[in-house]
Amino acid sequence: MKKNQVTKVRNTQTDQPRTSKRSQMKKSIHISGSEAVVRCLIEEGVDVLYGYPGGAIMPVYDELYKFQDHIHHVLTRHEQGATHAAQGYARISGRVGVAMATSGPGATNLVTGIADAQIDSTPLVCITGQVASHLLGSDAFQETDIVGISTPVTKWNHQITKASEIPEVMAKAFYIARSGRPGPVLIDITKDAQFEEFDFSYEKCKGVRSYNPVPVATENSLKSAADIINSAKKPMIVWGQGVILGKAEKNLIEMIEKTGIPAAWTILGASAIPTSHPLNVGMVGMHGNYGPNVLTNECDVLIAIGMRFDDRVTGNLDSYAKQAKVIHLEIDPAEVDKNVKTDVAIIGDARDSLRRLTPLLREKEHKEWLSKFTEFYKVEFETVIDADINPTKEGLTMGEVIKEINSCTNGDAAVVTDVGQHQMIACRYAKFTQTKSNITSGGLGTMGFALPAAIGAKMAEPEREVIAVIGDGGYQMTIQELGTIFQQRCAVKIVVLNNEYLGMVRQWQQLFFDKRYASTEMTNPDFVKIAEGYSIQSKRVSRREDLAPAVAEMVASDQAYFLEVCIEKEDNVFPMIPTGASVSDIRLE
């Protein structure tokens, strides 16, 4: 198993879904494989899917046309946009996102989004058409081995060559995608299987032989962890997205409020508890907050909850939390001891594990320890934060844009970010009052993620304000999805922070490559005119006095809105842990 992968589900003849007597007695109807695919989606409660038609998947699209009252198909402008939109839908709703494409380039264009979903544990079911089964392996037109290509980046995949396989495989796909540690599943269906008719009936999958998606924490592990936590003088929690995926937000709050333990978060864990909570001490990682990073190497007990000790969080592993006893609450056994050696591993669902662990913990306060985080924050505020959000320089900063968004949304918006400097600034300064509010590409770091992901998020939660914060580089990777926004009348708010650079790469070139800005300066088009071409309300801002009114106008609009903010060209993001350095070596400038 590759180290960064979700635990796989074996694709063998013995891995069959469990079925009940009820399923064997369920009335069947005689239909085509393509109609069966659509009926399976309806049975699984799918109300929207994202995709792009083509020859090898056309029979399924023909059936979708007949079932428009049941499933809304969103025509994205690129298959990568379909997977990212499905990710945004899944991340904000907690449901399985669905994407569909044809064979060959249609299927391969899905792969980036699938890989992103795999490393960020996002539940997706991706359906691809394939050439007829008698043409497999013949290099037929638009034939690619998408099962072979996608195997390293899916939780499970399967190729269907007989229509009769469709109900069982589709049921298994949804079960695997959503259960345990979620992840993407790909189902490839040959064209003849789509045309073939058979007797269809459907039963949801309740389990798969040899696959135990939700292990239950042992009493011994809970007691051992409780003993260590109860005796700790300087404990610290770092939580990740596992808290959100496990719906354990309230359980985490109960734990930290009972124990008084300061808690920090990874970027995918952001918003699990409100930003304003007094025990929320900020973000860890390469561009995280000063205190939580430095004090990771001073705590005596480190409690990791639903996070995987990514290298961007740990820095140099040889010097990471060596003084601390490490307790790891994790649903996926493959993540335990993978990067950081643990003293106690609690293998189980985060909500169940926290629910059972918290009663074993003593009520405490760690005022002196917590005050150290406050002291580090004051230093960081004076050195970095104040200049970011209350700048005196002439040019606009990324931080003050996020500050204005906070002011207009009161922290209730879902913020979808792309990858780069703006991502780190948004994660650092966005205020969140409710969970599932920070949607970003974490592990894969996919530029182009934000625009289509924001579409999916807004369609899943149309009553929520969804604001995409994007750099000028990443924006142009999926800018064609403005067409999807236009066609769907999707009221996404788009903020492009334009510094005319690939900003994060330029920052590294400045700090570590003697300012040799190789291929990072960008000559950009007129973004406002492009947005106006899609009938999207648009505005460009370059002066400080115009920023607040423009953000207020954007948020007040009930339609899609594009706001370009021209920011300082060579602004940098600090704090920063240089690659290969210890978290203690974090730089403030």
Side-chain angles (χ1 to χ4, degrees):
M1 178 185 298
K2 292 189 177 182
K3 285 190 173 182
N4 66 348
Q5 288 185 218
V6 177
T7 297
K8 293 281 189 178
V9 178
R10 294 183 298 121
N11 183 4
T12 69
Q13 294 296 320
T14 59
D15 282 346
Q16 299 299 322
R18 298 172 192 155
T19 56
S20 64
K21 290 181 180 179
R22 178 170 160 266
S23 70
Q24 297 168 5
M25 299 172 63
K26 197 170 183 180
K27 187 176 179 181
S28 63
I29 54 175
H30 195 73
I31 59 174
S32 68
S34 55
E35 183 178 343
V37 171
V38 178
R39 287 186 178 273
C40 290
L41 295 175
I42 294 170
E43 290 279 354
E44 291 292 342
V46 175
D47 55 1
V48 61
L49 68 88
Y50 304 87
Y52 205 100
I57 197 66
M58 205 175 296
V60 175
Y61 270 87
D62 187 55
E63 294 299 332
L64 275 174
Y65 182 82
K66 302 172 188 176
F67 285 86
Q68 293 178 67
D69 292 341
H70 295 83
I71 299 178
H72 176 53
H73 178 268
V74 177
L75 175 64
T76 57
R77 297 309 189 258
H78 191 283
E79 293 88 354
Q80 181 182 344
T83 46
H84 292 329
Q87 285 179 273
Y89 178 95
R91 292 275 290 274
I92 201 170
S93 69
R95 301 172 64 190
V96 177
V98 182
M100 190 159 64
T102 192
S103 63
T108 58
N109 283 343
L110 296 177
V111 171
T112 296
I114 293 171
D116 194 286
Q118 170 77 344
I119 200 166
D120 283 354
S121 304
T122 304
L124 294 188
V125 169
C126 296
I127 300 165
T128 55
Q130 185 55 274
V131 300
S133 56
H134 72 279
L135 293 173
L136 291 173
S138 69
D139 292 332
F141 177 67
Q142 291 194 334
E143 180 197 1
T144 57
D145 178 10
I146 193 60
V147 170
I149 290 169
S150 66
T151 293
V153 293
T154 50
K155 190 176 178 185
W156 181 69
N157 64 17
H158 188 90
Q159 185 176 79
I160 293 174
T161 59
K162 297 288 184 183
S164 58
E165 299 177 71
I166 290 171
E168 187 175 281
V169 172
M170 290 287 287
K172 185 176 175 183
F174 276 89
Y175 174 75
I176 291 171
R178 68 165 67 96
S179 61
R181 181 181 179 181
V185 171
L186 182 136
I187 303 302
D188 191 45
I189 311 174
T190 60
K191 197 166 184 178
D192 53 325
Q194 296 173 49
F195 281 120
E196 185 183 5
E197 294 188 350
F198 74 112
D199 292 330
F200 170 85
S201 64
Y202 194 78
E203 185 74 15
K204 287 189 177 181
C205 181
K206 302 289 177 35
V208 176
R209 183 176 167 184
S210 78
Y211 172 47
N212 179 26
V214 187
V216 178
T218 66
E219 292 295 336
N220 284 341
S221 66
L222 293 166
K223 186 178 184 306
S224 297
D227 289 343
I228 292 172
I229 295 170
N230 287 333
S231 62
K233 303 298 183 185
K234 297 188 291 184
M236 176 178 168
I237 289 170
V238 176
W239 86 80
Q241 189 185 203
V243 170
I244 296 171
L245 295 174
K247 300 178 182 178
E249 298 93 337
K250 290 182 180 179
N251 306 87
L252 175 61
I253 291 173
E254 288 173 6
M255 177 192 177
I256 65 174
E257 289 182 347
K258 180 178 183 180
T259 61
I261 299 175
W265 38 273
T266 69
I267 61 169
L268 291 180
S271 82
I273 68 176
T275 312
S276 60
H277 195 287
L279 290 169
N280 183 339
V281 294
M283 181 171 78
V284 292
M286 179 172 281
H287 292 286
N289 293 106
Y290 190 35
N293 275 304
V294 172
L295 295 175
T296 297
N297 279 358
E298 293 186 23
C299 67
D300 58 0
V301 175
L302 180 62
I303 307 155
I305 306 174
M307 54 87 76
R308 58 189 180 84
F309 291 111
D310 176 71
D311 64 299
R312 285 294 177 97
V313 167
T314 65
N316 188 339
L317 283 169
D318 291 337
S319 58
Y320 181 78
K322 292 301 181 183
Q323 79 295 335
K325 291 186 177 179
V326 177
I327 298 168
H328 196 176
L329 283 73
E330 175 59 48
I331 197 169
D332 187 352
E335 294 295 345
V336 176
D337 293 332
K338 186 179 79 175
N339 294 325
V340 173
K341 178 67 178 174
T342 58
D343 292 273
V344 176
I346 299 175
I347 310 297
D349 172 75
R351 181 168 57 174
D352 180 65
S353 296
L354 286 172
R355 179 185 61 80
R356 294 165 59 202
L357 176 63
T358 300
L360 304 178
L361 303 177
R362 297 182 194 141
E363 291 191 23
K364 277 191 174 184
E365 291 184 343
H366 293 279
K367 290 183 178 179
E368 186 176 342
W369 173 233
L370 187 60
S371 70
K372 296 199 74 172
F373 289 87
T374 304
E375 291 169 11
F376 276 99
Y377 179 80
K378 288 178 180 177
V379 173
E380 184 181 349
F381 185 87
E382 292 171 1
T383 310
V384 177
I385 297 173
D386 192 35
D388 277 347
I389 63 175
N390 303 305
T392 56
K393 63 179 72 174
E394 182 179 348
L396 291 169
T397 66
M398 295 175 282
E400 65 182 313
V401 178
I402 304 303
K403 179 185 176 183
E404 290 298 337
I405 292 173
N406 290 335
S407 177
C408 290
T409 63
N410 297 313
D412 293 331
V415 178
V416 185
T417 53
D418 215 77
V419 172
Q421 288 181 314
H422 70 278
Q423 176 191 34
M424 295 297 103
I425 288 291
C427 289
R428 282 175 53 79
Y429 297 130
K431 305 297 183 186
F432 298 117
T433 60
Q434 56 184 302
T435 189
K436 297 176 184 171
S437 294
N438 181 58
I439 300 170
T440 194
S441 173
L444 196 65
T446 305
M447 292 178 69
F449 171 87
L451 187 60
I455 295 170
K458 184 65 176 178
M459 295 186 75
E461 300 284 348
E463 300 306 313
R464 285 201 71 182
E465 191 73 78
V466 175
I467 300 177
V469 179
I470 317 176
D472 50 311
Y475 180 58
Q476 292 178 83
M477 287 194 169
T478 50
I479 194 171
Q480 71 278 352
E481 299 309 330
L482 292 176
T484 308
I485 292 171
F486 174 49
Q487 184 169 351
Q488 297 295 320
R489 295 184 174 88
C490 186
V492 170
K493 309 300 170 59
I494 306 159
V495 180
V496 167
L497 303 181
N498 184 3
N499 59 7
E500 298 181 335
Y501 271 109
L502 298 176
M504 186 62 82
V505 183
R506 186 213 55 76
Q507 177 170 335
W508 282 49
Q509 289 171 335
Q510 177 184 337
L511 298 177
F512 308 116
F513 293 88
D514 298 324
K515 295 187 178 181
R516 293 187 294 275
Y517 296 156
S519 302
T520 46
E521 189 167 9
M522 304 191 76
T523 302
N524 291 321
D526 188 327
F527 292 130
V528 168
K529 285 184 178 179
I530 292 172
E532 288 174 345
Y534 290 98
S535 298
I536 296 172
Q537 292 177 273
S538 306
K539 182 165 285 189
R540 179 185 295 112
V541 170
S542 58
R543 298 187 306 171
R544 184 160 288 116
E545 57 266 32
D546 298 329
L547 178 62
V551 173
E553 180 181 299
M554 175 187 73
V555 173
S557 176
D558 61 358
Q559 301 174 28
Y561 195 107
F562 173 81
L563 177 62
E564 177 186 1
V565 183
C566 302
I567 58 171
E568 282 277 335
K569 292 189 68 170
E570 296 190 51
D571 220 2
N572 289 331
V573 183
F574 287 103
M576 179 180 184
I577 303 170
T579 301
S582 165
V583 292
S584 301
D585 297 328
I586 187 168
R587 293 173 53 171
L588 290 175
E589 54 188 9

